[in-house]
Amino acid sequence: MDRLVNTVRPYAWGSPTAIPELLGVAPTGEPQAEMWMGAHPGAPSRTERGPLNEIVDADPVRELGTPAVEKFGPRLPFLLKVLAAGAPLSLQVHPDLDQARAGFAAEEAAGIPVDAPHRTYKDANHKPELICALTPFEGLCGFRAPTAAADLIAELGVDSLKPYVDLLHAHPEEAALREVLTALLTADREEMAHTVAEAAAAADRLGGHHTPFANLAHHFPGDPGVIAAMLLNHVTLQPGEALYLGAGVPHAYFDGMGVEIMANSDNVLRCGLTPKHVDVAELLRVVRFESNDPNVLRPEASPSGEEVYDTPIDEFRLSRFVRPEGASPTDVTAPTPQILLSVAGRPKAGEITLAPGESVFVPAGEKTELSGAGTVFRATVVA
């Protein structure tokens, strides 16, 4: 078992205080957005044996177990994060596996450097993900029904938005959502900036369910993503609740801290609310234009006390243990690799005490018990 030393990414949207408070350290004054736990080459966790990606590369069967290697190949299939949003993230989607493989191969063949600002595919993997709230957590997830989006936009009373309202009412669902998102992203930027400013003023005045979009406009004045965001469901998670985000589902996070797990990928296609590159053509190819109600997940308890978040993929499995004082030790030995993350109390994994924000990597098959009081998230795979 390896205690992990993890990198905190200082993205501009990060909260300057949430992750330092979890870790019990002084804030640096800079945003602290994501703490990465895993073997992603962009920021691998470090151990006394070396970087975790190098440990896995040196002996994948020993570290990951034969079932995981046979199913996913010789790499840790998931990336675990603590995410702390102090400002809205970009509106974005992730590709499915076939799209990621094709897109990565095409950009490699074109000779586009992997760190180029206009590069879309950083790797050849998909990026389904799950976010579980540690604090009240606000964001967007999936398309509203077109008529509901039309009503929300129409209430603003902005004349230049009426054509979008009419499109949302006039077409079948897929066509309506596709046409409106395409029109928003390809509109004249100067004209759209005036429209967004007028819409933001109206949203400020109306308040209520328009308030989140007024706040977006304050962060991203003139960005067409502000109007695009009104096509999506607004969601607030309470601590312990989660959202699963599959391929092609547009989403954005606004505020709050959570535990996030995803397939081991960094592929993001942005739709707006960002100064970064937006590849409109590829985005429209990847987005799934279908409305749905956000499926807020709550954990399902097992007799062992493990609370599991059920998702439809195998690259990751997230669960948690909420251990009261005096609880008996729990055997968490598994034939698959695990990362155990403490978020409250001072529980122990084996002989290692975990303060909030501390984590360990447990190789496949290693005998492991949880003991002591606290809350521990367990990340592993289904193999």
Side-chain angles (χ1 to χ4, degrees), residues 13-16 18 32-33 83-89 137-138 253-258:
W13 49 262
S15 165
Q32 304 284 292
L83 181 148
L89 284 68
F137 194 94
E138 183 185 8
Y253 302 147
F254 291 175
D255 183 70
M257 182 165 66

Side-chain angles (χ1 to χ4, degrees), residues 105 139 235:
V235 185

Side-chain angles (χ1 to χ4, degrees), residues 63-306:
E63 303 298 333
L64 308 178
T66 298
V69 172
E70 289 181 348
K71 190 166 187 176
F72 304 111
R75 59 184 177 82
L76 187 66
F78 63 83
L79 175 63
L80 185 66
K81 300 179 180 179
V82 173
L83 181 148
L89 284 68
S90 61
L91 188 60
Q92 59 190 257
V93 296
H94 306 303
D96 65 26
L97 190 55
D98 289 341
Q99 291 164 340
R101 287 171 174 168
F104 181 77
E107 290 188 324
E108 288 288 282
I112 302 173
V114 73
D115 58 351
H118 62 290
R119 175 88 183 220
T120 298
Y121 292 97
K122 309 295 187 183
D123 52 64
N125 200 16
H126 62 165
K127 193 187 177 188
E129 60 189 36
L130 178 78
I131 182 77
C132 177
L134 293 176
T135 67
F137 194 94
E138 183 185 8
L140 302 171
C141 177
F143 285 111
R144 300 173 189 260
T147 54
D151 291 345
L152 186 70
I153 295 170
E155 288 169 1
L156 297 172
V158 176
D159 288 344
S160 54
L161 290 176
K162 189 174 186 303
Y164 303 117
V165 173
D166 292 341
L167 280 172
L168 289 167
H169 278 303
H171 290 284
E173 176 175 291
E174 181 178 352
L177 295 170
R178 180 181 291 276
E179 287 189 38
V180 171
L181 185 61
T182 302
L184 289 170
L185 296 181
T186 56
D188 179 89
R189 295 289 295 195
E190 187 172 339
E191 291 180 7
M192 182 54 67
H194 289 299
T195 295
V196 173
E198 191 176 350
D204 257 334
R205 184 173 62 255
L206 290 168
H209 52 254
H210 289 90
T211 297
F213 307 101
N215 292 339
L216 282 182
H218 290 310
H219 285 284
F220 301 99
D223 193 310
V226 173
I227 309 301
M230 299 184 75
L231 302 175
L232 307 186
N233 298 296
H234 178 248
V235 185
T236 299
L237 301 177
Q238 296 306 313
E241 295 180 335
L243 284 174
Y244 171 74
L245 298 156
V249 177
H251 60 280
Y253 302 147
F254 291 175
D255 183 70
M257 182 165 66
V259 173
E260 186 179 38
I261 190 168
M262 62 198 63
N264 196 9
S265 172
D266 201 24
N267 284 327
V268 176
L269 289 96
R270 295 176 177 84
C271 316
L273 309 180
T274 179
K276 295 182 179 179
H277 176 63
V278 177
D279 185 340
V280 175
E282 185 65 10
L283 172 72
L284 295 174
R285 191 176 75 85
V286 167
V287 170
R288 295 182 179 175
F289 291 97
E290 54 190 31
S291 66
N292 52 64
D293 292 327
N295 181 22
V296 175
L297 299 177
R298 295 170 182 85
E300 299 177 7
S302 69
S304 69
E306 184 178 23

